[in-house]
Amino acid sequence: MDQYAAPARPLVAAMIDAAAADPARAVAFQGAPGANSHVAAIEACPDGLPVPCFDFADAIDAVKDGTATRAIIPIENSLHGRVADIHFLLPESGLVITGEYFLPIRHALMGVGPRDGVRQAMSHPQALGQCRHWLRAQGIHPVNYPDTAGAAALVAELQDPAIAALAPPKAAEIYGLDLLGTDIADADHNMTRFVILSREGIEPAGDGPWMTTLIFEVKNVPAALYKAMGGFATNGVNMTKLESYQQGGSFAATEFYADVEGKPGDAPFDRALAELGFHSKYVRLLGTYRQGRARG
């Protein structure tokens, strides 16, 4: 609790208490009340009780220990790329992806003094990256903070007119700040994709379209990735995301994170997965879930 700025602590405590009384409805999110993840939790899980967590690991742990039944985690942004290292966090957690949600992002500049006196803007690195051209044009220096609304709470605590926050507009109302600028982003398509995590997966039955997220490591032989991908091409299975990453600091074995349209039990999907497995050291499914929006 002490990790949050003082203005946020009573709100955090009240939300934690409300969720503790009904953990079956609790939805963990990273950040302070008013953060984009808080907005996503309310919109994606309207029956839920949002539970603030200071970092991503805390949000995942809340689901693991039963404090919450779900967590909602941002994993990528259309302007600034990867948000959370879900391919590192999720396999170790034992949780599965059960849904996705896309949230349009529009930041606001908020503070306690006049706009022309602002010299610094505090926010999550993602928000600062999404607005870096705007900030540079305004002569405002970006300052990293663990989350957007938490930055707003800290600005309210500091009461320094030279320091503002970039956060969702609602955070200004929550923490008693003045809106100094709205609808801030470097491009109109600013969108963040969230995934919903639970202890148990869902049975992919009924209407889709479906998405399956997986991680794999190909065998260390020439053209292994090319051969592994061949099954998706020949079976007409669309892979919407493929991202490489390194584990263990060896720089020897590259692992991959992928989003694939389809679900286990679909014949083309199963054939593509079998071919991927033949050319890989391992394949691990992280979850199958309904698509939040159509790809393409």
Side-chain angles (χ1 to χ4, degrees), residues 32-48:
N36 282 311
S37 291
H38 185 193
V39 176
I42 293 171
E43 294 184 5
C45 308
D47 62 327

PDB file of all heavy atoms in Angstrom, residues 32-48:
ATOM      1  N   ALA A  32      -2.710   2.397 -10.291  1.00  0.00           N
ATOM      2  CA  ALA A  32      -3.560   3.055  -9.306  1.00  0.00           C
ATOM      3  C   ALA A  32      -4.959   3.237  -9.870  1.00  0.00           C
ATOM      4  O   ALA A  32      -5.172   3.134 -11.084  1.00  0.00           O
ATOM      5  CB  ALA A  32      -2.953   4.416  -8.938  1.00  0.00           C
ATOM      6  N   PRO A  33      -5.943   3.514  -9.015  1.00  0.00           N
ATOM      7  CA  PRO A  33      -7.287   3.810  -9.518  1.00  0.00           C
ATOM      8  C   PRO A  33      -7.251   4.941 -10.542  1.00  0.00           C
ATOM      9  O   PRO A  33      -6.605   5.961 -10.336  1.00  0.00           O
ATOM     10  CB  PRO A  33      -8.040   4.230  -8.247  1.00  0.00           C
ATOM     11  CG  PRO A  33      -7.334   3.505  -7.140  1.00  0.00           C
ATOM     12  CD  PRO A  33      -5.885   3.501  -7.533  1.00  0.00           C
ATOM     13  N   GLY A  34      -7.938   4.724 -11.669  1.00  0.00           N
ATOM     14  CA  GLY A  34      -7.946   5.704 -12.738  1.00  0.00           C
ATOM     15  C   GLY A  34      -7.018   5.389 -13.885  1.00  0.00           C
ATOM     16  O   GLY A  34      -7.056   6.064 -14.916  1.00  0.00           O
ATOM     17  N   ALA A  35      -6.173   4.366 -13.744  1.00  0.00           N
ATOM     18  CA  ALA A  35      -5.246   3.983 -14.808  1.00  0.00           C
ATOM     19  C   ALA A  35      -6.005   3.384 -15.987  1.00  0.00           C
ATOM     20  O   ALA A  35      -7.161   2.962 -15.870  1.00  0.00           O
ATOM     21  CB  ALA A  35      -4.219   2.978 -14.284  1.00  0.00           C
ATOM     22  N   ASN A  36      -5.343   3.325 -17.142  1.00  0.00           N
ATOM     23  CA  ASN A  36      -5.971   2.706 -18.308  1.00  0.00           C
ATOM     24  C   ASN A  36      -6.349   1.255 -18.032  1.00  0.00           C
ATOM     25  O   ASN A  36      -7.380   0.772 -18.523  1.00  0.00           O
ATOM     26  CB  ASN A  36      -5.034   2.784 -19.515  1.00  0.00           C
ATOM     27  CG  ASN A  36      -5.027   4.153 -20.158  1.00  0.00           C
ATOM     28  OD1 ASN A  36      -6.072   4.727 -20.437  1.00  0.00           O
ATOM     29  ND2 ASN A  36      -3.844   4.698 -20.392  1.00  0.00           N
ATOM     30  N   SER A  37      -5.534   0.554 -17.257  1.00  0.00           N
ATOM     31  CA  SER A  37      -5.863  -0.833 -16.918  1.00  0.00           C
ATOM     32  C   SER A  37      -7.125  -0.902 -16.050  1.00  0.00           C
ATOM     33  O   SER A  37      -7.888  -1.872 -16.127  1.00  0.00           O
ATOM     34  CB  SER A  37      -4.691  -1.495 -16.198  1.00  0.00           C
ATOM     35  OG  SER A  37      -3.606  -1.692 -17.070  1.00  0.00           O
ATOM     36  N   HIS A  38      -7.344   0.107 -15.208  1.00  0.00           N
ATOM     37  CA  HIS A  38      -8.572   0.183 -14.412  1.00  0.00           C
ATOM     38  C   HIS A  38      -9.772   0.368 -15.344  1.00  0.00           C
ATOM     39  O   HIS A  38     -10.799  -0.303 -15.207  1.00  0.00           O
ATOM     40  CB  HIS A  38      -8.464   1.352 -13.434  1.00  0.00           C
ATOM     41  CG  HIS A  38      -9.628   1.462 -12.486  1.00  0.00           C
ATOM     42  ND1 HIS A  38      -9.848   2.584 -11.714  1.00  0.00           N
ATOM     43  CD2 HIS A  38     -10.645   0.608 -12.200  1.00  0.00           C
ATOM     44  CE1 HIS A  38     -10.938   2.402 -10.997  1.00  0.00           C
ATOM     45  NE2 HIS A  38     -11.436   1.219 -11.263  1.00  0.00           N
ATOM     46  N   VAL A  39      -9.629   1.269 -16.324  1.00  0.00           N
ATOM     47  CA  VAL A  39     -10.693   1.480 -17.308  1.00  0.00           C
ATOM     48  C   VAL A  39     -10.979   0.188 -18.057  1.00  0.00           C
ATOM     49  O   VAL A  39     -12.146  -0.203 -18.251  1.00  0.00           O
ATOM     50  CB  VAL A  39     -10.301   2.599 -18.294  1.00  0.00           C
ATOM     51  CG1 VAL A  39     -11.355   2.756 -19.383  1.00  0.00           C
ATOM     52  CG2 VAL A  39     -10.094   3.918 -17.558  1.00  0.00           C
ATOM     53  N   ALA A  40      -9.924  -0.510 -18.489  1.00  0.00           N
ATOM     54  CA  ALA A  40     -10.090  -1.767 -19.224  1.00  0.00           C
ATOM     55  C   ALA A  40     -10.787  -2.813 -18.368  1.00  0.00           C
ATOM     56  O   ALA A  40     -11.633  -3.570 -18.857  1.00  0.00           O
ATOM     57  CB  ALA A  40      -8.739  -2.278 -19.706  1.00  0.00           C
ATOM     58  N   ALA A  41     -10.438  -2.873 -17.084  1.00  0.00           N
ATOM     59  CA  ALA A  41     -11.065  -3.847 -16.185  1.00  0.00           C
ATOM     60  C   ALA A  41     -12.564  -3.592 -16.068  1.00  0.00           C
ATOM     61  O   ALA A  41     -13.373  -4.530 -16.087  1.00  0.00           O
ATOM     62  CB  ALA A  41     -10.405  -3.789 -14.814  1.00  0.00           C
ATOM     63  N   ILE A  42     -12.956  -2.326 -15.965  1.00  0.00           N
ATOM     64  CA  ILE A  42     -14.376  -1.982 -15.850  1.00  0.00           C
ATOM     65  C   ILE A  42     -15.128  -2.318 -17.136  1.00  0.00           C
ATOM     66  O   ILE A  42     -16.229  -2.874 -17.106  1.00  0.00           O
ATOM     67  CB  ILE A  42     -14.522  -0.485 -15.519  1.00  0.00           C
ATOM     68  CG1 ILE A  42     -13.980  -0.200 -14.112  1.00  0.00           C
ATOM     69  CG2 ILE A  42     -15.978  -0.039 -15.632  1.00  0.00           C
ATOM     70  CD1 ILE A  42     -13.879   1.282 -13.794  1.00  0.00           C
ATOM     71  N   GLU A  43     -14.519  -2.003 -18.279  1.00  0.00           N
ATOM     72  CA  GLU A  43     -15.206  -2.207 -19.554  1.00  0.00           C
ATOM     73  C   GLU A  43     -15.223  -3.679 -19.965  1.00  0.00           C
ATOM     74  O   GLU A  43     -16.229  -4.171 -20.484  1.00  0.00           O
ATOM     75  CB  GLU A  43     -14.534  -1.365 -20.637  1.00  0.00           C
ATOM     76  CG  GLU A  43     -14.693   0.139 -20.419  1.00  0.00           C
ATOM     77  CD  GLU A  43     -14.101   0.949 -21.555  1.00  0.00           C
ATOM     78  OE1 GLU A  43     -13.652   0.355 -22.563  1.00  0.00           O
ATOM     79  OE2 GLU A  43     -14.080   2.192 -21.445  1.00  0.00           O
ATOM     80  N   ALA A  44     -14.107  -4.377 -19.766  1.00  0.00           N
ATOM     81  CA  ALA A  44     -14.015  -5.777 -20.201  1.00  0.00           C
ATOM     82  C   ALA A  44     -14.745  -6.711 -19.248  1.00  0.00           C
ATOM     83  O   ALA A  44     -15.244  -7.766 -19.676  1.00  0.00           O
ATOM     84  CB  ALA A  44     -12.552  -6.200 -20.313  1.00  0.00           C
ATOM     85  N   CYS A  45     -14.807  -6.353 -17.972  1.00  0.00           N
ATOM     86  CA  CYS A  45     -15.432  -7.207 -16.956  1.00  0.00           C
ATOM     87  C   CYS A  45     -16.441  -6.377 -16.172  1.00  0.00           C
ATOM     88  O   CYS A  45     -16.210  -6.042 -14.993  1.00  0.00           O
ATOM     89  CB  CYS A  45     -14.378  -7.793 -16.017  1.00  0.00           C
ATOM     90  SG  CYS A  45     -13.002  -8.623 -16.832  1.00  0.00           S
ATOM     91  N   PRO A  46     -17.565  -5.984 -16.781  1.00  0.00           N
ATOM     92  CA  PRO A  46     -18.507  -5.082 -16.122  1.00  0.00           C
ATOM     93  C   PRO A  46     -19.122  -5.653 -14.851  1.00  0.00           C
ATOM     94  O   PRO A  46     -19.640  -4.896 -14.020  1.00  0.00           O
ATOM     95  CB  PRO A  46     -19.576  -4.844 -17.204  1.00  0.00           C
ATOM     96  CG  PRO A  46     -19.439  -5.985 -18.156  1.00  0.00           C
ATOM     97  CD  PRO A  46     -17.991  -6.347 -18.145  1.00  0.00           C
ATOM     98  N   ASP A  47     -19.052  -6.969 -14.678  1.00  0.00           N
ATOM     99  CA  ASP A  47     -19.564  -7.593 -13.464  1.00  0.00           C
ATOM    100  C   ASP A  47     -18.509  -7.667 -12.375  1.00  0.00           C
ATOM    101  O   ASP A  47     -18.785  -8.136 -11.268  1.00  0.00           O
ATOM    102  CB  ASP A  47     -20.033  -9.014 -13.781  1.00  0.00           C
ATOM    103  CG  ASP A  47     -18.899  -9.904 -14.285  1.00  0.00           C
ATOM    104  OD1 ASP A  47     -17.983  -9.375 -14.960  1.00  0.00           O
ATOM    105  OD2 ASP A  47     -18.916 -11.127 -14.005  1.00  0.00           O
ATOM    106  N   GLY A  48     -17.289  -7.210 -12.663  1.00  0.00           N
ATOM    107  CA  GLY A  48     -16.170  -7.411 -11.747  1.00  0.00           C
ATOM    108  C   GLY A  48     -15.975  -6.292 -10.742  1.00  0.00           C
ATOM    109  O   GLY A  48     -16.574  -5.216 -10.830  1.00  0.00           O
TER     110      GLY A  48
END
